[in-house]
Amino acid sequence: MFKPNKGIVLEALRELSDKGFQEYYWMGRDQSVVCVPEELCHSILFSSNLALNFKSGRPVFGHWDARIMALAERFCDLVDVTSGDAEAMLAAAEMEQIRADAQSILDGIKA
């Protein structure tokens, strides 16, 4: 069994839902904090052990797992398509939908 780290997933969802955070940190306005989309993609799927638990049928957030996985995969696809270019990602219409979906999942998990 792979112990899931819910905190990593929740933090990643908060980052995905926050345009201001993305504009500030992804664009490198604070050089003391390294925050890149590629790392976020890796952390939500792998560092958190969400992907391993999901594929093994072990729920982490219950019925939310499938939505989180789909969102993470869409985000990772966007990272690939834009080659991790933060400016291109922020300008993409898909990123707006990813933000909205991340917030919806966060709201649902808190409910």
Side-chain angles (χ1 to χ4, degrees), residues 31-50:
Q31 297 297 316
S32 68
V33 177
V34 176
C35 217
V36 294
E38 292 92 339
E39 289 179 9
L40 179 61
C41 181
H42 180 81
S43 70
I44 193 169
L45 289 173
F46 304 110
S47 298
S48 69
N49 286 326
L50 179 67

Side-chain angles (χ1 to χ4, degrees), residues 83-98:
S83 299
D85 181 305
E87 191 171 352
M89 291 179 67
L90 291 171
E94 177 67 8
M95 195 63 219
E96 285 296 323
Q97 188 60 50
I98 288 170

Side-chain angles (χ1 to χ4, degrees), residues 46-105:
F46 304 110
S47 298
S48 69
N49 286 326
L50 179 67
L52 291 171
N53 281 283
F54 182 75
K55 289 177 183 176
S56 299
R58 293 184 200 103
V60 177
F61 292 96
H63 68 279
W64 294 103
D65 290 358
R67 282 193 61 194
I68 297 168
M69 287 295 297
L71 176 69
E73 289 170 1
R74 282 180 30 227
F75 176 68
C76 292
D77 288 346
L78 181 60
V79 170
D80 286 342
V81 167
T82 61
S83 299
D85 181 305
E87 191 171 352
M89 291 179 67
L90 291 171
E94 177 67 8
M95 195 63 219
E96 285 296 323
Q97 188 60 50
I98 288 170
R99 274 189 213 100
D101 291 348
Q103 188 61 56
S104 173
I105 292 168

